[in-house]
Amino acid sequence: LGMALYTRLERAGLPLGDGQCRIVPGRQFVWDRAWRNQRVAVEVQGGIWINGAHSRGSGVERDSIKQSMAAALGWRVLPITKSMIESGQAVELIAQALGLELPA
């Protein structure tokens, strides 16, 4: 899913940000993409319909801590799903968070 998002961002002409980023000092948390200057990060929520890591209690707990720590440091974290990537909604939201307009 991370590559699908990358491809969609590239096709839309948006900045790609950095992949597999650590943005919380002293923690091993990794975000799928991040735009450091704008303090925007994306976390692709994989396996939400098959009892994957993001949908089990322990995964939800871990993700909540991860996102809250980033928010406390001034980051905006966008949780993105496969259907959001496929529909184009993810790219639209990322563009909005980055303060950019998509080409018509």
Side-chain angles (χ1 to χ4, degrees), residues 4-5 7-10 12 14 80 84-85 88-96 102:
L5 177 61
T7 301
R8 295 280 180 134
L9 291 167
E10 192 172 48
L14 290 178
I80 301 296
M84 292 169 73
I85 293 169
Q89 186 177 27
V91 169
E92 291 172 7
L93 290 167
I94 292 167
Q96 183 179 1
L102 293 172

Side-chain angles (χ1 to χ4, degrees), residues 2-104:
M3 185 52 96
L5 177 61
Y6 180 94
T7 301
R8 295 280 180 134
L9 291 167
E10 192 172 48
R11 283 185 196 154
L14 290 178
L16 302 174
D18 298 317
Q20 299 300 299
C21 288
R22 290 192 171 101
I23 60 176
V24 176
R27 296 301 295 248
Q28 295 299 309
F29 296 135
V30 176
W31 279 260
D32 293 309
R33 300 222 70 76
W35 294 261
R36 293 182 186 278
N37 291 340
Q38 294 89 349
R39 298 183 79 79
V40 171
V42 167
E43 184 68 14
V44 178
Q45 306 292 312
I48 61 173
W49 298 107
I50 59 168
N51 201 24
H54 293 287
S55 62
R56 290 192 297 259
S58 61
V60 171
E61 180 76 18
R62 182 195 64 242
D63 287 349
S64 295
I65 292 167
K66 178 179 172 178
Q67 290 185 25
S68 294
M69 291 178 91
L73 293 171
W75 284 81
R76 290 176 290 155
V77 178
L78 305 175
I80 301 296
T81 64
K82 178 181 178 183
S83 65
M84 292 169 73
I85 293 169
E86 291 172 347
S87 72
Q89 186 177 27
V91 169
E92 291 172 7
L93 290 167
I94 292 167
Q96 183 179 1
L98 295 174
L100 301 172
E101 293 205 20
L102 293 172

